[in-house]
Amino acid sequence: MNQLMPSQLHDARSNGRTLVFSAIRRNAPVARVDIAKITNLSPATVTSITAELLTAGLIEEVAVENSGVAGKRGRPRVDLKIRGAAHIVVGIKLSDNSATYSFLDFEGKKIAGYVHPSAQETYCLPELMTFLTDGYSAALTDAGLEESSISGMGLGLPGVVDAEAGIVLWSPVLIEKNQPLQQKLADTFSIPVFIDNDANLVAVAEKHIGLGKNAQNFVVITVEQGVGLGIVINGKIYRGTKGCGAELGHTKVQLDGALCRCGQRGCLEAYVGDYALLREAGTAMGPLEGANPQEQMQALLAAAKKGNTVAQSIIRRAGRMFSMGLANVVNIFAPELIILSGERLQDSFLYGDEVINDMKKYAVQSGDLMPEVKIHSWDNQMWSIGAATFAIDGIIDIALAKIR
Amino acid sequence: MNQLMPSQLHDARSNGRTLVFSAIRRNAPVARVDIAKITNLSPATVTSITAELLTAGLIEEVAVENSGVAGKRGRPRVDLKIRGAAHIVVGIKLSDNSATYSFLDFEGKKIAGYVHPSAQETYCLPELMTFLTDGYSAALTDAGLEESSISGMGLGLPGVVDAEAGIVLWSPVLIEKNQPLQQKLADTFSIPVFIDNDANLVAVAEKHIGLGKNAQNFVVITVEQGVGLGIVINGKIYRGTKGCGAELGHTKVQLDGALCRCGQRGCLEAYVGDYALLREAGTAMGPLEGANPQEQMQALLAAAKKGNTVAQSIIRRAGRMFSMGLANVVNIFAPELIILSGERLQDSFLYGDEVINDMKKYAVQSGDLMPEVKIHSWDNQMWSIGAATFAIDGIIDIALAKIR
DNA sequence: AATGTTTAATTTGACTAGTAAATTAAAAAC
DNA sequence: GTTTTTAATTTACTAGTCAAATTAAACATT
């Protein structure tokens, strides 16, 4: 009896144009025959849709290389790819000491980057608008781009963001709550603007131009100041109710445990955050060398490497707590892939084999069901690239909707 | 600027018939005009689709009541509902000491129920097939139904099930691993069979005929022998990679914590499961009255109520651990609704206000973002009803696919 | 009782997205 | 130069959907 599953039958049948476009995006360069196979559309449909996309200037044909190769008979395939020149977007990552700007073309290729430093860590809304406007001008000048050439803007910031509504519900960098930042920015710059929690945007980038290209269900974990979690389900970012993302950093790993910056006890962050390790080191090792937390962390890690057992014990526990947090994500989600994404990977104790092995030990899934773990070391513009990729997503939808 | 979100634009556009049918299912009795509003289809389309469904015998018209009511001018609406008589399905829940059978009509109304006890707790595949075949015959006889009148079968069992493939990867009741149970049953009974993890099936039931009718993102937590978790995202059961569901019972709530039946340490189940509490009670209170775990649990709870501080402390800690597990789900998922579903609600310490309040305290989401918590006390046939509802889902898809 | 008003449902005619099958295109192989 | 092979396109048709017009069935007003 050849059965159909209750779900799986009617879904996945998005829109033909979207289907074709994203197939090209993920597999470029790719010929029409293959697009037909990937999307399960007929060659006829692929021809007509790609013709539309070509006239709209969203994709372009590229010369295929294997002409003249023996054994390759038949009409040669014509490869298609996204036309990078179609649009340029800007992605902005707002952190507590700077705003990072990245310009991407429509293919997702980086054109330019710029960091706009800040003296302040928190802003009221007008101050933030000024800061972003100034930074945007500077970034454009630095990149040698005209403001009129930019088609869209993506902004990622820490905190709780309702991406659907474009509202920042709460952010450590913004004093006021519930601010309609998307609208504000769209009005100011007169281009489509998309905002989201920063961890979600890293997940977007991993999905489209990173290690999650071919995965449908995966999670991206970022460790910066906090521990971030981006969830991709069925190829789409999962944002939970009201578009507010997941909070891995404040999941509880110990009842009545260590005090966290959020005021609660036992949060994962209170065990794996820099400040948490330095707090422990301060108790048992006396003051560490170094003028700032970064340098002090280096000192702590160096001490551990040299054989200091107290330092080792501090780091080891943090690693095990991190494993536990990861294992819980695995147990709840059963993702096919976990991407640990960050810029300080080389010196981070959190990404060592020991931590990954512990995670596997703590997860109940057995053997072949255990998710693959990939470690992705981006440069420090990762976050703004994620924001720009998010903007590309939005621009694509607008562009495809325009074709009729 | 009136923007569209990157996603949200092209999805939700399932199949017209599916859309209409499930609108009727969720809102019955409902008139065509309202179906058009709910589904965003035009009245014309609703008319033609409902006509098809009527001739196929899947739905039926019902007399509308408000005829003759003042102020209600215009052509009276004709309500539609699922035609219960269209199909009968059986749902089976397999546990370690019995198999529970429920017969539901196509509307989801229960027709009959039957419990088939068992002497053994684990089976090899042939034994299980015999046990299920015998039980099915007995259940049919008990209900006065012909086997030929049954259109589909749903089976829920504990363990890890690949629902898509119909394979039981691992189950505490089945000795062999990786058994194609769906195929086996379908061959034996010659009707479509659908199998899944039991907690998932409770989520299915909550979605279609329970408290999750109007929610798109929610989780169902069941406490029986183990702690189960069913996840509904965008109105569909989320099963993770390879269709294996979530494991809340074995998320870790304590590093190097209490020993769990699964062999690991610090699992939630090792703190909130019956056996965990009795283990603690045995240590500090001596042997409890009662011939079996159920009775001993009653004795423990009674002792706590009477003021025994040791008993209170045991129960309190279990409650707090449960809160922590729930809070982690909230932090990771941000569901709009949590349904605590079970049969022993009245005497369960896990569903008290104190536990819910602790959960809210541990979850980082603030105020209006906190999910609603509903407690659903089903009768002991809850599980098999879930299985039957799952079968209805499958039968609907098959029936709708047949219309052409 | 006749006519108007209101709301629900249906019919009609048109358009869109998609397909299967036939056809054309462009290369290598013989 | 002809055949074979593979890719892409064209053609003719179907299913699904909708806007607009029409019909249906009630109450309200005179």
Side-chain angles (χ1 to χ4, degrees):
Chain A
M1 190 170 293
N2 202 0
Q3 278 189 34
L4 301 160
M5 278 307 295
S7 51
Q8 254 328 46
L9 184 58
H10 298 298
D11 54 0
R13 169 58 43 113
S14 176
N15 171 326
R17 274 182 277 263
T18 312
L19 225 49
V20 169
F21 192 90
S22 63
I24 297 175
R25 198 176 176 202
R26 267 200 312 279
N27 301 89
V30 61
R32 290 175 178 79
V33 243
D34 293 326
I35 298 174
K37 275 172 205 151
I38 294 166
T39 58
N40 283 319
L41 292 169
S42 72
T45 307
V46 174
T47 289
S48 76
I49 289 178
T50 51
E52 282 177 343
L53 297 176
L54 280 166
T55 39
L58 299 178
I59 62 172
E60 60 191 1
E61 297 189 336
V62 288
V64 81
E65 71 301 333
N66 65 352
S67 185
V69 175
K72 274 280 177 185
R73 305 216 286 186
R75 176 174 176 171
R77 40 186 60 194
V78 180
D79 278 347
L80 299 170
K81 65 184 268 296
I82 307 301
R83 191 172 143 259
H87 292 284
I88 301 175
V89 299
V90 60
I92 312 173
K93 151 75 182 197
L94 191 59
S95 23
D96 57 1
N97 60 359
S98 63
T100 308
Y101 292 76
S102 285
F103 295 94
L104 261 55
D105 73 8
F106 205 45
E107 268 188 281
K109 217 169 59 215
K110 189 168 164 186
I111 295 174
Y114 178 78
V115 178
H116 194 62
S118 169
Q120 45 188 142
E121 293 195 351
T122 58
Y123 310 82
C124 66
L125 189 61
E127 284 172 347
L128 181 62
M129 289 303 294
T130 308
F131 177 58
L132 288 173
T133 312
D134 291 352
Y136 187 39
S137 299
L140 283 166
T141 309
D142 179 76
L145 291 167
E146 292 292 323
E147 182 171 344
S148 61
S149 68
I150 310 300
S151 307
M153 174 182 284
L155 173 70
L157 70 172
V160 184
V161 180
D162 183 341
E164 294 278 332
I167 292 172
V168 180
L169 296 167
W170 173 85
S171 170
V173 297
L174 191 59
I175 293 165
E176 302 101 322
K177 288 188 173 186
N178 302 314
Q179 295 302 305
L181 189 57
Q182 178 189 57
Q183 194 58 57
K184 271 269 180 190
L185 291 166
D187 290 348
T188 305
F189 300 117
S190 301
I191 50 175
V193 175
F194 307 92
I195 70 173
D196 203 345
N197 168 277
D198 47 10
N200 276 345
L201 296 190
V202 175
V204 172
E206 291 288 0
K207 171 79 189 120
H208 289 304
I209 56 175
L211 299 176
K213 258 189 177 179
N214 298 310
Q216 286 298 303
N217 299 293
F218 66 94
V219 298
V220 178
I221 289 166
T222 58
V223 182
E224 203 195 21
Q225 279 115 315
V227 179
L229 173 64
I231 300 172
V232 176
I233 292 179
N234 292 330
K236 277 183 287 200
I237 298 284
Y238 173 77
R239 290 199 177 76
T241 318
K242 306 201 183 164
C244 326
E247 278 291 342
L248 184 60
H250 299 283
T251 56
K252 302 295 172 288
V253 291
Q254 172 97 45
L255 195 62
D256 302 326
L259 190 62
C260 177
R261 288 183 301 185
C262 75
Q264 299 194 20
R265 287 192 173 277
C267 298
L268 180 58
E269 249 182 60
Y271 289 94
V272 305
D274 287 2
Y275 75 94
L277 282 102
L278 294 175
R279 177 176 56 193
E280 289 216 309
T283 307
M285 300 171 66
L288 284 161
E289 278 178 47
N292 57 45
Q294 275 79 28
E295 287 178 31
Q296 291 171 358
M297 272 301 291
Q298 291 301 329
L300 178 64
L301 289 163
K305 259 189 194 157
K306 268 192 210 148
N308 182 318
T309 51
V310 176
Q312 284 174 347
S313 146
I314 289 171
I315 287 167
R316 186 76 193 94
R317 188 177 76 152
R320 295 186 69 203
M321 283 295 190
F322 190 56
S323 308
M324 194 172 142
L326 291 183
N328 284 346
V329 171
V330 173
N331 281 333
I332 290 177
F333 257 105
E336 59 192 275
L337 169 67
I338 295 182
I339 301 174
L340 301 171
S341 195
E343 49 170 320
R344 302 178 280 166
L345 296 185
Q346 49 286 19
D347 49 283
S348 177
F349 59 95
L350 291 176
Y351 300 97
D353 287 345
E354 217 166 11
V355 172
I356 307 299
N357 287 335
D358 277 354
M359 184 269 280
K360 292 187 178 172
K361 218 171 59 192
Y362 296 148
V364 75
Q365 307 289 2
S366 55
D368 50 335
L369 292 174
M370 183 61 64
E372 197 181 348
V373 178
K374 288 184 180 172
I375 296 176
H376 197 183
S377 176
W378 295 65
D379 71 11
N380 64 359
Q381 295 226 340
M382 155 177 73
W383 304 87
S384 55
I385 289 173
T389 308
F390 187 53
I392 291 177
D393 273 12
I395 297 296
I396 287 171
D397 272 5
I398 292 171
L400 292 181
K402 255 188 215 154
I403 302 176
R404 188 110 332 165
Chain B
M1 191 172 290
N2 202 0
Q3 280 187 35
L4 302 159
M5 278 306 294
S7 51
Q8 251 333 43
L9 186 57
H10 298 297
D11 52 1
R13 170 55 44 113
S14 178
N15 171 325
R17 275 183 275 263
T18 312
L19 225 49
V20 168
F21 192 90
S22 63
I24 297 174
R25 198 176 175 203
R26 266 202 311 281
N27 302 89
V30 60
R32 291 175 178 80
V33 242
D34 292 327
I35 297 174
K37 275 173 204 152
I38 293 166
T39 58
N40 281 320
L41 293 170
S42 72
T45 306
V46 173
T47 290
S48 76
I49 290 178
T50 51
E52 283 177 341
L53 298 177
L54 280 165
T55 39
L58 299 177
I59 61 172
E60 60 189 1
E61 296 190 334
V62 288
V64 81
E65 71 301 331
N66 63 354
S67 183
V69 175
K72 274 278 177 184
R73 304 215 286 186
R75 177 175 175 170
R77 39 186 60 195
V78 180
D79 278 346
L80 299 170
K81 66 185 266 299
I82 309 300
R83 191 172 143 261
H87 292 284
I88 300 175
V89 299
V90 61
I92 312 173
K93 149 76 181 197
L94 192 58
S95 28
D96 57 0
N97 59 0
S98 61
T100 308
Y101 292 76
S102 285
F103 295 94
L104 263 54
D105 72 9
F106 205 44
E107 270 188 278
K109 218 169 58 215
K110 188 167 162 188
I111 295 174
Y114 177 76
V115 179
H116 194 62
S118 168
Q120 48 188 140
E121 292 195 352
T122 58
Y123 310 82
C124 66
L125 189 59
E127 285 172 349
L128 181 61
M129 291 302 295
T130 308
F131 177 57
L132 288 174
T133 312
D134 291 353
Y136 187 38
S137 300
L140 282 166
T141 309
D142 179 77
L145 292 166
E146 291 292 322
E147 182 171 345
S148 60
S149 68
I150 310 299
S151 307
M153 174 183 284
L155 174 70
L157 70 174
V160 183
V161 180
D162 183 339
E164 295 279 332
I167 292 171
V168 180
L169 296 166
W170 173 86
S171 169
V173 298
L174 191 58
I175 292 165
E176 302 102 323
K177 289 190 174 186
N178 301 315
Q179 295 303 305
L181 190 56
Q182 179 189 55
Q183 194 59 56
K184 273 269 181 190
L185 291 165
D187 290 348
T188 305
F189 300 117
S190 301
I191 50 174
V193 175
F194 306 91
I195 71 173
D196 202 345
N197 167 279
D198 48 8
N200 277 345
L201 296 190
V202 175
V204 172
E206 291 287 0
K207 172 77 188 125
H208 290 303
I209 57 174
L211 298 176
K213 260 189 177 180
N214 298 311
Q216 286 299 303
N217 299 295
F218 66 93
V219 298
V220 178
I221 289 165
T222 57
V223 182
E224 201 197 21
Q225 279 113 318
V227 179
L229 173 64
I231 299 172
V232 175
I233 291 179
N234 293 330
K236 277 184 287 202
I237 296 284
Y238 172 78
R239 289 197 179 77
T241 319
K242 307 200 183 163
C244 329
E247 275 293 340
L248 183 61
H250 299 282
T251 57
K252 302 295 172 289
V253 292
Q254 171 98 47
L255 195 61
D256 301 326
L259 190 63
C260 178
R261 288 184 301 184
C262 75
Q264 300 196 17
R265 287 193 172 277
C267 298
L268 181 58
E269 250 182 60
Y271 290 94
V272 305
D274 287 3
Y275 74 94
L277 282 101
L278 294 176
R279 176 176 57 191
E280 289 216 309
T283 307
M285 300 172 66
L288 284 161
E289 277 179 46
N292 58 44
Q294 276 77 29
E295 286 179 30
Q296 291 170 358
M297 272 302 291
Q298 291 301 330
L300 178 64
L301 290 163
K305 259 190 194 155
K306 268 193 207 145
N308 182 319
T309 52
V310 176
Q312 283 174 346
S313 146
I314 290 171
I315 286 167
R316 187 76 193 94
R317 188 177 75 154
R320 294 186 69 203
M321 284 295 188
F322 190 56
S323 307
M324 194 171 142
L326 290 183
N328 285 347
V329 170
V330 172
N331 281 332
I332 290 177
F333 256 106
E336 59 192 275
L337 168 67
I338 295 182
I339 301 175
L340 301 172
S341 196
E343 47 170 321
R344 300 180 281 166
L345 296 184
Q346 48 286 20
D347 49 283
S348 177
F349 59 95
L350 292 176
Y351 299 98
D353 288 344
E354 216 165 12
V355 172
I356 306 299
N357 287 335
D358 275 354
M359 183 271 280
K360 292 189 176 169
K361 216 170 64 193
Y362 296 147
V364 74
Q365 307 290 4
S366 54
D368 48 337
L369 293 174
M370 183 60 64
E372 196 181 348
V373 178
K374 288 183 181 173
I375 296 176
H376 197 182
S377 178
W378 296 64
D379 71 13
N380 65 357
Q381 295 227 341
M382 155 177 73
W383 305 85
S384 54
I385 289 174
T389 309
F390 187 53
I392 291 177
D393 273 11
I395 297 296
I396 287 171
D397 273 4
I398 292 171
L400 293 181
K402 257 189 216 153
I403 301 177
R404 188 108 336 158

